[in-house]
Amino acid sequence: MTDFITLDPAPAPAPGKGDTVLEVRDLSVDFGVDKKWVPAAIGLNYEVRAGEVLAIVGESGSGKSASSMALLGLLPSNSRVSGSVKLGGKELLGGNEANIRAVRGKDVAVIFQEPMTALNPVYTVGAQIVETIRLHNEVSPDQARERALRMLDLVELPDPEKAFKSYPHQLSGGQRQRAMIAQSLSCDPKLLIADEPTTALDVTVQAEILDLMRNLRNKLDSAIVLITHDMGVVADLADRIAVMRRGLIVETGTAGEIFHNPQHEYTKALLAAVPHLGQGGATTDEDVDVTAALAAATHADLEAVPRSELLRRERENAAALAAAAVEPAAPQGEPVLELTDVAIEYPKQGRVPAFRAVEGANLAIYPGQVVGLVGESGSGKTTIGRAAVGLLPVAAGIMKVVGQDISAAKKNGRQLHEMRRHVGMVFQDPSSSLNPRLPIGESIGEPMYLAGVAKGAELQSRIEALLDQVELPRDYRNRYPHELSGGQKQRVGIARALSLKPKLMVADEPTSALDVSVQAKVLELFQSLQQELGFACLFVTHDLAVVDVLADRICVMQRGRIVEQGTRDQILRNPQEPYTQRLLAAVPLPDPEKQRERRELRAQLLSGAS
């Protein structure tokens, strides 16, 4: 049995450090679509050495995931792959399928982008991790169980024993992602392919996972291929970066070279689209760092930063805020969504008792207003969103949606049906929310058809207009969900949610699967559509930079309760609650040097607090 991965702050270097683990030469991937070959990756060349992280970045559909899944033969049957892929000097392409199966999971592990579709829904999380361990190691069931529990603990699941016995659907999105990371790391792989490994994670757990992956690289001398659209994650973890566009690698370099001296116009545009904390207000990233550090200084001794300097810069920050502060306009009309002392619980199922996920929630959203709901995974954010569209009953308090009290409407199907015509929802996981048997055009048009607002030629015209709005080609209407990238599927979900011109939009991580350039366009789309249609939006997210760009007000949730709420500037520039301060301190910055300083500051805060 291999040694457990431990968070050793000073791991001993493994032998063979710097040796080439993965060597890719002239790798091309094509997909057969409508009786012709469509290229997804063209002549890719790169290598990854032991102890190195190569980040592959680019827009959705650029070929990042397709080329990486081709390394292990994980593409669908309508694909063809050419070129050479060597792992430790041994060729993987064109070999015996049994040899590739032996490599998967043991020597090479994959963290997939969408945990709900990657985990088996009919087996518990623990059973799936145990299966992986025993498949590649000669260990007893008890030893495998012990290791699985240790892995679940390492990825910071709050109750490893409970998670071990849970099915994937019983965990939140972030918890599912952590469980899958635990499964991927369980056999100490030589190469880890991480496809958007922190997409579903809140910022505090994301920081822990990045620390864990960094430790894996250092302790086991593993090579990591990181596929992501989050440039903060890239700045935190990557040694080298390859930028992809339309199947080609257009630029490669060290993290410092790409961030500070990009050569290709596409790379420059990609970096310009990255949202930063401070874009929505008067302060800069540096000011936000100082605010978080000063607030946390009551709990930790920050010897590296003189307190006099912190105080001086904080005074300057406060003066800038006072000079730039704009009093928000008073809300107009009646609230579109209003919660008064609301409690929400998941009903009892068999022997599983009812679970109260939200307690004492109070918030109001007015027409044309965006309220960001932030907090760690499992804090109750998505629960409030699901209750707002009638998918969960209200156990106590009053919840009004579009003027209707749905607190006691769980048995009134007609009332819920009428209310849902005015509410759109974008789900967190686009793959599991789209019907795999329907072309995306039908998925977008289905709400309008069922509501009786359009049919025939008018319905087709509206579908095309919605595809235009979310910037998808009209001919995609005949494609099925599995033929689209993760970001493209998320845009389909947004188009479907907008189809009935809702008064309330509930957006559950609507940009989590989008690359930064498309994310910027979607945020602009949200703002322009809101000005045009005047809908209110409950924006559930873990990305504080996105909230800074989009939200008028922010509510912070922790363990089922709203612990702080206020205007965007109040929450992000002058947080009062220690929990909010910790959230801000964990936000990665899209700059390698600043992120290194942020990481060191966060380590000081945590060590001082402990």
Side-chain angles (χ1 to χ4, degrees):
M1 181 175 176
T2 55
D3 293 335
F4 289 120
I5 301 168
T6 58
L7 295 177
D8 184 355
K17 188 173 182 64
D19 293 346
T20 300
V21 175
L22 177 69
E23 185 178 6
V24 176
R25 293 289 177 263
D26 298 321
L27 177 65
S28 295
V29 180
D30 303 293
F31 290 98
V33 180
D34 296 331
K35 298 182 179 180
K36 63 180 180 180
W37 291 107
V38 178
I42 306 168
L44 305 187
N45 291 279
Y46 61 85
E47 60 185 34
V48 191
R49 299 181 181 277
E52 182 181 56
V53 178
L54 171 70
I56 302 179
V57 301
E59 293 181 296
S60 57
S62 64
K64 307 187 303 294
S65 296
S67 60
S68 298
M69 294 304 102
L71 304 181
L72 292 175
L74 296 177
L75 294 176
S77 58
N78 67 327
S79 65
R80 68 177 183 184
V81 181
S82 61
S84 171
V85 175
K86 292 182 179 179
L87 180 70
K90 296 182 179 179
E91 182 66 48
L92 295 181
L93 295 185
N96 191 321
E97 177 65 22
N99 293 336
I100 296 181
R101 282 200 301 268
V103 166
R104 294 174 189 154
K106 181 173 177 60
D107 295 327
V108 183
V110 182
I111 302 173
F112 293 97
Q113 181 175 355
E114 295 159 350
M116 191 63 181
T117 53
L119 293 172
N120 193 323
V122 300
Y123 290 101
T124 63
V125 166
Q128 295 182 63
I129 299 177
V130 166
E131 180 186 27
T132 301
I133 295 171
R134 298 198 68 203
L135 184 64
H136 298 290
N137 299 276
E138 295 182 359
V139 296
S140 69
D142 288 342
Q143 288 175 311
R145 184 181 188 279
E146 180 186 353
R147 181 174 177 81
L149 287 170
R150 177 67 182 276
M151 297 308 303
L152 291 171
D153 182 59
L154 280 177
V155 296
E156 300 292 331
L157 277 164
D159 188 342
E161 188 72 39
K162 181 180 179 182
F164 184 91
K165 299 177 181 177
S166 298
Y167 290 89
H169 71 273
Q170 294 175 310
L171 303 178
S172 70
Q175 290 169 340
R176 282 195 294 267
Q177 189 73 300
R178 282 178 275 176
M180 189 168 62
I181 291 173
Q183 182 183 25
S184 300
L185 301 182
S186 61
C187 291
D188 298 341
K190 297 176 183 176
L191 173 67
L192 180 65
I193 301 174
D195 188 357
E196 304 284 5
T198 59
T199 291
L201 302 181
D202 55 80
V203 289
T204 53
V205 178
Q206 174 177 267
E208 296 290 341
I209 293 301
L210 293 176
D211 287 343
L212 180 65
M213 292 178 64
R214 190 179 300 105
N215 178 74
L216 172 73
R217 174 191 64 182
N218 295 337
K219 181 177 176 60
L220 302 178
D221 216 21
S222 295
I224 298 177
V225 175
L226 175 66
I227 305 166
T228 184
H229 62 262
D230 191 329
M231 300 306 288
V233 171
V234 172
D236 187 276
L237 197 61
D239 300 304
R240 292 190 300 114
I241 300 172
V243 183
M244 286 193 69
R245 186 188 188 196
R246 297 176 181 173
L248 296 169
I249 294 179
V250 298
E251 185 171 0
T252 60
T254 66
E257 291 170 348
I258 297 297
F259 276 98
H260 299 307
N261 189 28
Q263 301 299 308
H264 198 278
E265 290 301 318
Y266 175 71
T267 308
K268 296 176 183 178
L270 197 65
L271 291 171
V274 177
H276 299 70
L277 265 179
Q279 279 183 324
T283 59
T284 64
D285 291 334
E286 185 178 51
D287 293 324
V288 176
D289 285 346
V290 173
T291 301
L294 181 63
T298 57
H299 305 288
D301 180 18
L302 301 180
E303 296 179 353
V305 183
R307 186 167 178 78
S308 59
E309 175 66 9
L310 283 174
L311 289 171
R312 182 188 67 78
R313 294 168 69 181
E314 179 64 14
R315 284 194 296 270
E316 293 178 358
N317 184 31
L321 276 175
V326 177
E327 191 68 25
Q332 302 292 323
E334 295 295 321
V336 179
L337 175 65
E338 186 175 17
L339 279 68
T340 306
D341 296 326
V342 165
I344 305 167
E345 62 183 30
Y346 288 86
K348 177 182 178 181
Q349 293 184 344
R351 297 181 180 179
V352 180
F355 171 69
R356 182 157 292 196
V358 174
E359 186 74 65
N362 292 277
L363 68 87
I365 307 177
Y366 291 84
Q369 190 178 61
V370 177
V371 173
L373 196 59
V374 302
E376 294 179 300
S377 57
S379 63
K381 308 186 304 293
T382 298
T383 298
I384 288 182
R386 291 173 65 85
V389 296
L391 295 178
L392 285 174
V394 176
I398 298 173
M399 177 179 285
K400 291 184 178 180
V401 182
V402 198
Q404 297 186 46
D405 184 357
I406 65 168
S407 307
K410 56 186 176 181
K411 295 183 179 179
N412 189 338
R414 180 176 297 180
Q415 183 184 7
L416 283 177
H417 178 74
E418 179 62 27
M419 178 272 292
R420 285 173 179 155
R421 293 187 59 172
H422 302 292
V423 180
M425 185 164 188
V426 182
F427 293 93
Q428 180 176 355
D429 189 341
S431 290
S432 59
S433 64
L434 292 174
N435 189 331
R437 299 182 180 180
L438 288 183
I440 67 167
E442 291 187 28
S443 291
I444 294 172
E446 188 177 36
M448 295 183 285
Y449 179 79
L450 294 176
V453 299
K455 60 182 180 180
E458 183 183 359
L459 178 62
Q460 302 309 314
S461 177
R462 290 200 184 190
I463 292 172
E464 291 178 352
L466 286 163
L467 286 171
D468 292 341
Q469 285 182 319
V470 296
E471 302 193 3
L472 283 175
R474 291 186 177 186
D475 59 5
Y476 274 36
R477 61 186 301 163
N478 296 319
R479 292 194 181 188
Y480 289 86
H482 72 273
E483 297 178 296
L484 274 62
S485 69
Q488 291 168 339
K489 282 182 280 194
Q490 190 68 290
R491 282 182 270 174
V492 172
I494 293 171
R496 183 178 59 183
L498 293 171
S499 61
L500 291 177
K501 299 181 179 179
K503 295 180 180 178
L504 173 66
M505 171 77 77
V506 178
D508 186 4
E509 304 281 6
T511 59
S512 63
L514 302 181
D515 55 79
V516 289
S517 58
V518 176
Q519 175 177 271
K521 294 176 184 177
V522 169
L523 295 178
E524 290 175 5
L525 175 66
F526 258 83
Q527 292 170 320
S528 63
L529 287 173
Q530 196 179 21
Q531 292 174 0
E532 177 186 349
L533 303 176
F535 61 79
C537 181
L538 178 64
F539 199 93
V540 180
T541 185
H542 63 263
D543 192 331
L544 295 176
V546 169
V547 168
D548 195 7
V549 171
L550 194 65
D552 303 303
R553 293 181 59 82
I554 297 174
C555 295
V556 182
M557 292 198 70
Q558 181 187 25
R559 297 176 182 174
R561 291 186 176 274
I562 296 176
V563 296
E564 187 172 8
Q565 60 179 302
T567 66
R568 176 191 59 205
D569 285 343
Q570 287 172 344
I571 299 300
L572 296 183
R573 256 62 80 178
N574 189 27
Q576 302 301 308
E577 286 289 324
Y579 175 71
T580 310
Q581 296 158 4
R582 290 197 298 271
L583 281 182
L584 288 170
V587 177
L589 300 175
D591 182 293
E593 285 72 29
K594 287 185 178 180
Q595 178 56 24
R596 189 180 304 112
E597 294 173 2
R598 167 71 65 89
R599 190 165 63 240
E600 292 170 355
L601 171 62
R602 179 175 172 273
Q604 290 182 33
L605 295 176
L606 292 177
S607 61
S610 60

Coordinates of all heavy atoms in Angstrom, one line a residue, residues 45-48 52-57 226 231 234-235 237-244 249-264 267 271 592:
N45 N 2.2 20.3 -29.5 CA 3.5 19.8 -29.1 C 3.7 20.5 -27.7 O 3.7 21.7 -27.6 CB 4.6 20.2 -30.0 CG 4.5 19.5 -31.3 OD1 5.0 18.3 -31.4 ND2 3.9 20.1 -32.4
Y46 N 3.9 19.6 -26.7 CA 4.3 20.1 -25.4 C 4.8 19.0 -24.5 O 4.6 17.8 -24.9 CB 3.1 20.9 -24.7 CG 1.9 20.0 -24.4 CD1 1.8 19.2 -23.2 CD2 0.8 20.0 -25.2 CE1 0.7 18.5 -23.0 CE2 -0.3 19.3 -25.0 CZ -0.3 18.5 -23.8 OH -1.5 17.7 -23.6
E47 N 5.4 19.3 -23.4 CA 5.9 18.3 -22.5 C 5.7 18.8 -21.1 O 5.7 20.0 -20.8 CB 7.3 17.9 -22.7 CG 8.3 19.0 -22.6 CD 9.7 18.6 -23.0 OE1 9.9 17.7 -23.9 OE2 10.7 19.1 -22.4
V48 N 5.6 17.9 -20.1 CA 5.4 18.2 -18.7 C 6.4 17.4 -17.9 O 6.5 16.2 -18.1 CB 4.0 17.9 -18.2 CG1 3.8 18.6 -16.8 CG2 3.0 18.5 -19.2
E52 N 6.2 19.7 -12.2 CA 5.8 20.9 -12.9 C 4.3 20.9 -13.2 O 3.7 19.9 -13.4 CB 6.6 20.9 -14.3 CG 6.4 22.1 -15.1 CD 7.1 22.1 -16.4 OE1 7.0 21.1 -17.2 OE2 7.9 23.0 -16.7
V53 N 3.8 22.1 -13.3 CA 2.4 22.3 -13.6 C 2.3 23.1 -14.9 O 2.8 24.2 -15.0 CB 1.6 23.1 -12.5 CG1 0.2 23.4 -12.9 CG2 1.7 22.4 -11.2
L54 N 1.7 22.5 -15.9 CA 1.5 23.1 -17.2 C 0.0 23.5 -17.3 O -0.9 22.6 -17.2 CB 1.8 22.2 -18.4 CG 1.4 22.7 -19.8 CD1 2.2 24.0 -20.2 CD2 1.5 21.6 -20.8
A55 N -0.3 24.7 -17.4 CA -1.7 25.2 -17.5 C -2.0 25.4 -19.0 O -1.3 26.0 -19.7 CB -1.9 26.5 -16.7
I56 N -3.1 24.7 -19.4 CA -3.6 24.9 -20.8 C -4.9 25.8 -20.7 O -5.9 25.4 -20.1 CB -3.9 23.6 -21.4 CG1 -2.7 22.7 -21.5 CG2 -4.5 23.8 -22.9 CD1 -2.9 21.3 -22.1
V57 N -4.8 27.0 -21.3 CA -5.9 27.9 -21.1 C -6.4 28.3 -22.5 O -5.7 28.2 -23.5 CB -5.5 29.2 -20.4 CG1 -5.0 28.8 -19.0 CG2 -4.4 30.0 -21.1
L226 N -3.0 21.3 -16.0 CA -4.1 22.0 -15.5 C -4.9 22.7 -16.6 O -4.4 23.5 -17.3 CB -3.6 23.1 -14.5 CG -4.6 24.1 -13.9 CD1 -5.6 23.3 -13.0 CD2 -3.9 25.2 -13.1
M231 N -7.9 32.5 -14.4 CA -6.6 32.9 -14.5 C -6.0 33.2 -13.1 O -4.7 33.2 -12.9 CB -6.5 34.2 -15.3 CG -6.9 34.1 -16.7 SD -6.1 32.7 -17.6 CE -4.5 33.4 -17.8
V234 N -4.6 29.8 -12.4 CA -3.3 29.7 -13.2 C -2.2 30.4 -12.5 O -1.1 29.9 -12.4 CB -3.6 30.2 -14.6 CG1 -2.3 30.2 -15.4 CG2 -4.6 29.3 -15.3
A235 N -2.4 31.6 -12.1 CA -1.4 32.4 -11.4 C -0.9 31.8 -10.1 O 0.3 31.9 -9.7 CB -1.9 33.8 -11.1
L237 N -0.9 28.4 -9.4 CA -0.4 27.1 -9.4 C 0.6 26.8 -10.6 O 1.5 26.0 -10.4 CB -1.5 26.1 -9.5 CG -1.3 24.6 -9.2 CD1 -0.8 24.5 -7.8 CD2 -2.5 23.8 -9.4
A238 N 0.4 27.5 -11.7 CA 1.1 27.1 -12.9 C 2.6 27.5 -13.0 O 2.9 28.6 -12.5 CB 0.4 27.7 -14.1
D239 N 3.4 26.7 -13.5 CA 4.8 27.0 -13.8 C 4.9 27.5 -15.2 O 5.6 28.5 -15.5 CB 5.8 25.8 -13.6 CG 5.7 25.3 -12.2 OD1 6.0 26.1 -11.3 OD2 5.4 24.1 -12.0
R240 N 4.3 26.8 -16.2 CA 4.3 27.2 -17.6 C 2.8 27.2 -18.1 O 1.9 26.6 -17.5 CB 5.1 26.2 -18.4 CG 6.6 26.3 -18.1 CD 7.4 25.5 -19.2 NE 7.1 24.1 -19.2 CZ 6.5 23.5 -20.2 NH1 6.2 24.2 -21.3 NH2 6.2 22.2 -20.1
I241 N 2.6 28.0 -19.1 CA 1.2 28.1 -19.7 C 1.3 27.9 -21.2 O 2.2 28.4 -21.9 CB 0.7 29.6 -19.4 CG1 0.7 29.8 -17.8 CG2 -0.7 29.8 -20.0 CD1 0.3 31.2 -17.5
A242 N 0.3 27.2 -21.7 CA 0.0 27.1 -23.1 C -1.3 27.6 -23.4 O -2.3 27.2 -22.8 CB 0.1 25.6 -23.5
V243 N -1.4 28.6 -24.3 CA -2.6 29.3 -24.7 C -3.2 28.7 -26.0 O -2.5 28.6 -27.0 CB -2.4 30.8 -24.9 CG1 -3.7 31.5 -25.2 CG2 -1.8 31.4 -23.6
M244 N -4.4 28.2 -25.9 CA -5.0 27.5 -27.1 C -6.1 28.4 -27.7 O -6.9 29.0 -26.9 CB -5.6 26.1 -26.7 CG -4.5 25.1 -26.5 SD -5.2 23.4 -26.5 CE -5.8 23.2 -28.2
I249 N -2.1 25.7 -30.4 CA -1.4 26.4 -29.3 C -0.8 27.7 -29.9 O 0.1 27.6 -30.8 CB -0.3 25.5 -28.7 CG1 -1.0 24.3 -28.0 CG2 0.5 26.3 -27.7 CD1 0.0 23.3 -27.3
V250 N -1.3 28.8 -29.5 CA -0.8 30.1 -30.1 C 0.4 30.7 -29.4 O 1.1 31.6 -29.9 CB -2.0 31.1 -30.3 CG1 -3.1 30.5 -31.2 CG2 -2.5 31.5 -28.9
E251 N 0.5 30.3 -28.1 CA 1.6 30.9 -27.3 C 1.9 30.0 -26.1 O 1.0 29.5 -25.5 CB 1.3 32.3 -26.9 CG 2.4 33.0 -26.2 CD 2.1 34.5 -25.9 OE1 1.0 35.0 -26.3 OE2 2.9 35.2 -25.3
T252 N 3.2 29.9 -25.8 CA 3.6 29.2 -24.6 C 4.7 30.0 -23.9 O 5.4 30.8 -24.5 CB 4.2 27.8 -24.9 OG1 5.3 27.9 -25.8 CG2 3.2 26.9 -25.6
G253 N 4.8 29.8 -22.6 CA 5.8 30.5 -21.9 C 5.7 30.2 -20.4 O 4.7 29.5 -19.9
T254 N 6.6 30.8 -19.6 CA 6.4 30.7 -18.1 C 5.2 31.5 -17.7 O 4.8 32.4 -18.4 CB 7.7 31.2 -17.4 OG1 7.9 32.6 -17.7 CG2 8.9 30.4 -17.9
A255 N 4.8 31.3 -16.5 CA 3.7 32.1 -15.9 C 4.0 33.6 -16.0 O 3.2 34.4 -16.3 CB 3.3 31.6 -14.5
G256 N 5.2 33.9 -15.6 CA 5.6 35.3 -15.6 C 5.6 35.9 -16.9 O 5.1 37.1 -17.1
E257 N 6.1 35.2 -17.9 CA 6.1 35.7 -19.3 C 4.7 35.9 -19.8 O 4.4 37.0 -20.5 CB 6.9 34.7 -20.2 CG 8.4 34.7 -19.9 CD 9.0 33.5 -20.6 OE1 8.3 32.6 -21.2 OE2 10.3 33.5 -20.7
I258 N 3.8 35.0 -19.6 CA 2.5 35.1 -20.2 C 1.7 36.2 -19.5 O 1.0 37.0 -20.2 CB 1.7 33.8 -20.1 CG1 2.4 32.7 -20.9 CG2 0.3 33.9 -20.5 CD1 2.4 32.9 -22.4
F259 N 1.8 36.3 -18.2 CA 1.0 37.4 -17.5 C 1.5 38.8 -17.7 O 0.8 39.7 -17.8 CB 0.9 37.0 -16.0 CG -0.1 36.0 -15.6 CD1 0.1 34.7 -15.5 CD2 -1.5 36.5 -15.4 CE1 -0.8 33.8 -15.1 CE2 -2.4 35.6 -15.1 CZ -2.1 34.2 -14.9
H260 N 2.9 38.9 -17.8 CA 3.5 40.2 -17.8 C 3.9 40.7 -19.2 O 4.1 41.9 -19.4 CB 4.6 40.3 -16.8 CG 4.2 40.0 -15.4 ND1 3.2 40.7 -14.8 CD2 4.7 39.1 -14.5 CE1 3.1 40.3 -13.5 NE2 3.9 39.3 -13.3
N261 N 4.1 39.7 -20.1 CA 4.6 40.1 -21.4 C 4.0 39.2 -22.5 O 4.8 38.6 -23.2 CB 6.2 40.1 -21.4 CG 6.7 40.7 -22.7 OD1 6.1 41.5 -23.3 ND2 7.9 40.2 -23.1
P262 N 2.7 39.2 -22.6 CA 2.1 38.3 -23.6 C 2.4 38.8 -25.0 O 2.5 40.0 -25.2 CB 0.6 38.4 -23.3 CG 0.4 39.7 -22.6 CD 1.7 39.9 -21.8
Q263 N 2.7 37.9 -25.9 CA 3.0 38.3 -27.3 C 1.9 38.2 -28.3 O 1.8 39.1 -29.2 CB 4.2 37.4 -27.8 CG 5.4 37.4 -26.9 CD 6.0 38.8 -26.9 OE1 6.3 39.4 -27.9 NE2 6.3 39.3 -25.7
H264 N 1.0 37.2 -28.1 CA -0.1 37.0 -29.1 C -1.3 37.9 -28.8 O -1.6 38.1 -27.6 CB -0.5 35.5 -29.1 CG -1.3 35.2 -30.3 ND1 -2.6 35.4 -30.5 CD2 -0.9 34.6 -31.5 CE1 -3.0 34.9 -31.7 NE2 -2.0 34.4 -32.3
T267 N -3.8 36.2 -26.5 CA -3.5 36.2 -25.1 C -3.7 37.5 -24.4 O -4.2 37.5 -23.3 CB -2.0 35.8 -25.0 OG1 -1.7 34.6 -25.8 CG2 -1.6 35.5 -23.5
L271 N -6.4 38.0 -21.2 CA -6.0 38.5 -19.9 C -6.8 39.8 -19.6 O -7.2 40.1 -18.5 CB -4.5 38.8 -19.9 CG -3.6 37.6 -19.9 CD1 -2.2 38.1 -20.1 CD2 -3.8 36.8 -18.6
P592 N 1.0 36.3 -10.9 CA 1.8 35.3 -10.1 C 2.4 35.9 -8.9 O 2.4 35.3 -7.8 CB 2.8 34.8 -11.1 CG 2.2 35.0 -12.5 CD 1.3 36.3 -12.3

